[in-house]
Amino acid sequence: MPLVAGIDSSTQSCKVEIRDVESGAQVRFGAAAHPDGTEINPVEWERALHDAVEAAGGLDDVAAVSVAAQQHGMVALDDRGQVVRPALLWNDTRSAGVAADLIAELGGAQAWADAVGSVPLAAFTVTKLRWMATNEPANAARTAAVCLPHDWLTWRLRNGSDLDALTTDRSDASGTGYWSATKGYRPDLVERALGHVPVVPTVLGPTQAAGKTERGAGLGKGGALLGPGGALLGPGGALLGPGAGDNAGAALGLDLRPGDVIVSLGTSGVACAVSDETFSDGTGVVAGFADATGRQLPLVCTLNAARVLDAAAQLLGVDPATVGDLALSAPPGAGGLVLVPYLQGERTPDRPYSAGAVHGLTVANSTAAHFARAAIEGMLCGLADAVDALASNGVPVSRIVLIGGAARNEAVCRIAPTVFGRPVSVPEPAEYVAIGAARQAAWTLLQTAEPPEWPVGERSVFDADVAPDIRERYASASPLTISRPGTADTRT
């Protein structure tokens, strides 16, 4: 059987999974790092993709490729297809103020939820367009097309130069703030944000091909050089799947079914579930995104997840694994110590200018073990609130599926059921976003009614006694978190 490739261009790195179409078994793998920051020149994604593909042994023998990537990021292109300015990433909060302006201009949060299924936050592309129009009017005027990270990489794999050839999929389009799963694009909202209507990518169906990699743009063995304009060299000819946003890619990689809720602990924290129902949450907590199969993917996102462990490790002078060991040596509830982990502001709740805070510090709990436990519990409490928000909007929650970098820490897995109040299933660690992209590539190649049946790695199930006082103390402490001095954010 042929091989397919799935690409995950995440905030931190690029991963490439080469998989067998029939069995789904991994054949090869490669990865490369992305630079840090909340804005980045997209050529860095392309360079990392090249390095990851080279580490995976090239794509000469691959029949189809699909790209999943971080959602929301704003890639602005001029009329020649050149990047206008570094892409603003989902975690860049400078557009928080204009997000509030856009919400007010349309008549409030419910008006946005009714229009596109979600209320725009600083993460959404539409707010970044308004920020550019307000603060960089010359760049806004030069912008002839706007796309997202996975759109741009797919276009580049085609050796893209024609703006009308830009494509996207339902999942990524639903995170822009100007596309609705039921109504399509809202050009009036794009114009409201940017001042004019640029070219936007064509939205493809779940198995609709975006084209093929072209000679001079595909990635084959030995393609170690960047061609003119940064085009990646190689033989070309692989079918290109429609691609997806990273969360939709993970849901496809995990074969998520109704009743399953993914809690992903990566750079950001995410709780999401597949559904046949559309959502319109006027509070803005639950985003009404689409998935990669034609269904919906209601989702709640926090800004702070695995980085909370990293920060705790740095503060305690240990590695993240030792943070876990320390946490397990402290009692549930950390002796009353509470960490509210808004380390880079927060998206849910919408407090982009807030900072982290520690509450309930006493002589008895001022130990490294108690702080480690409070850090993990605080990270998980934010995601438990996200799961509750999904449930309150009618999403069935029968199982928590815990994934992401922080889910590889045993302490996180063992503490999670105590916080969530439900058993937690942890699948074998794997790059599920890239696997989901590979599965989509296979689906596009085969053109079957349903995605190919690929096994998901063995799951471990963790259970524990619930400690409700953890959530109660967190709920009491969270509203006390204040904004950084000198900001206009006075939300509580």
Side-chain angles (χ1 to χ4, degrees):
M1 291 293 288
L3 303 179
V4 292
I7 295 164
D8 171 18
S9 182
S10 71
T11 310
Q12 296 177 323
S13 63
C14 181
K15 282 84 68 176
V16 177
E17 286 271 356
I18 313 292
R19 296 251 161 182
D20 178 80
V21 167
E22 183 174 10
S23 67
Q26 185 189 78
V27 177
R28 302 192 299 272
F29 176 79
H34 286 157
D36 290 333
T38 62
E39 67 174 19
I40 186 172
N41 189 328
V43 75
E44 299 292 346
W45 298 329
E46 195 170 45
R47 288 173 177 155
L49 173 57
H50 165 267
D51 291 345
V53 165
E54 187 173 46
L59 302 184
D60 285 349
D61 53 352
V62 166
V65 181
S66 194
V67 181
Q70 54 182 301
Q71 287 190 266
H72 305 307
M74 180 192 74
V75 182
L77 304 174
D78 66 17
D79 56 8
R80 297 175 301 155
Q82 300 299 307
V83 175
V84 170
R85 70 169 325 281
L88 295 181
L89 306 190
W90 63 273
N91 55 354
D92 192 304
T93 60
R94 73 185 77 179
S95 58
V98 297
D101 294 340
L102 285 168
I103 292 169
E105 289 171 17
L106 199 64
Q110 189 62 57
W112 277 94
D114 292 342
V116 293
S118 302
V119 180
L121 301 172
F124 284 43
T125 313
V126 69
T127 70
K128 300 178 188 305
L129 292 176
R130 170 60 73 85
W131 181 90
M132 182 170 63
T134 302
N135 295 278
E136 300 176 352
N139 284 338
R142 284 182 57 209
T143 297
V146 177
C147 61
L148 304 176
H150 115 249
D151 312 339
W152 188 82
L153 282 169
T154 301
W155 186 67
R156 293 294 295 145
L157 285 170
R158 295 179 60 190
N159 207 7
S161 58
D162 180 5
L163 297 180
D164 290 329
L166 285 163
T167 60
T168 190
D169 86 305
R170 298 171 67 256
S171 68
D172 238 358
S174 64
T176 61
Y178 45 81
W179 183 88
S180 160
T182 58
K183 304 167 188 173
Y185 278 117
R186 288 286 303 266
D188 59 313
L189 299 182
V190 184
E191 184 173 16
R192 179 182 292 275
L194 187 61
H196 64 275
V197 180
V199 173
V200 290
T202 299
V203 180
L204 303 178
T207 63
Q208 189 175 354
K212 291 186 175 182
T213 58
E214 294 185 5
R215 294 188 182 278
L219 291 163
K221 293 178 182 176
L225 300 176
L226 290 171
L232 291 155
L233 302 177
L239 194 68
L240 282 165
D246 51 1
N247 296 301
L252 189 56
L254 285 161
D255 195 22
L256 202 67
R257 303 296 173 92
D260 293 340
V261 175
I262 290 178
V263 174
S264 177
L265 303 175
T267 304
S268 63
V270 169
C272 63
V274 297
S275 173
D276 292 322
E277 305 295 326
T278 57
F279 287 82
S280 177
D281 180 8
T283 69
V285 174
V286 178
F289 294 162
D291 82 339
T293 70
R295 295 179 293 187
Q296 307 307 310
L297 193 75
L299 180 148
V300 182
C301 181
T302 69
L303 278 181
N304 301 281
R307 68 184 62 182
V308 179
L309 292 186
D310 294 337
Q314 182 176 354
L315 185 64
L316 297 175
V318 298
D319 57 38
T322 304
V323 171
D325 294 339
L326 288 168
L328 290 175
S329 71
L337 189 65
V338 178
L339 173 66
V340 181
Y342 300 164
L343 305 187
Q344 287 196 322
E346 190 45 83
R347 169 171 167 169
T348 307
D350 185 19
R351 298 173 189 159
Y353 304 117
S354 292
V358 176
H359 297 271
L361 185 65
T362 66
V363 172
N365 64 27
S366 56
T367 72
H370 285 84
F371 184 85
R373 181 92 188 197
I376 292 176
E377 290 178 346
M379 173 185 70
L380 292 170
C381 279
L383 273 302
D385 288 347
V387 173
D388 287 351
L390 291 174
S392 67
N393 276 269
V395 176
V397 182
S398 59
R399 181 175 64 167
I400 303 292
V401 181
L402 198 65
I403 65 169
R408 301 185 183 192
N409 188 305
E410 183 180 356
V412 173
C413 299
R414 295 194 177 280
I415 294 171
T418 302
V419 175
F420 286 113
R422 298 178 174 92
V424 170
S425 173
V426 183
E428 180 182 353
E431 299 295 345
Y432 286 105
V433 175
I435 294 170
R439 191 175 179 217
Q440 184 193 65
W443 194 16
T444 304
L445 182 68
L446 298 173
Q447 288 294 301
T448 50
E450 297 292 334
E453 291 290 338
W454 287 3
V456 177
E458 183 179 351
R459 300 175 186 267
S460 301
V461 178
F462 294 85
D463 204 350
D465 294 333
V466 180
D469 55 327
I470 297 175
R471 298 282 305 278
E472 291 171 359
R473 280 197 293 268
Y474 183 86
S476 297
S478 181
L480 301 177
T481 302
I482 61 173
S483 302
R484 296 189 182 102
T487 71
D489 188 0
T490 58
R491 284 167 283 194
T492 60

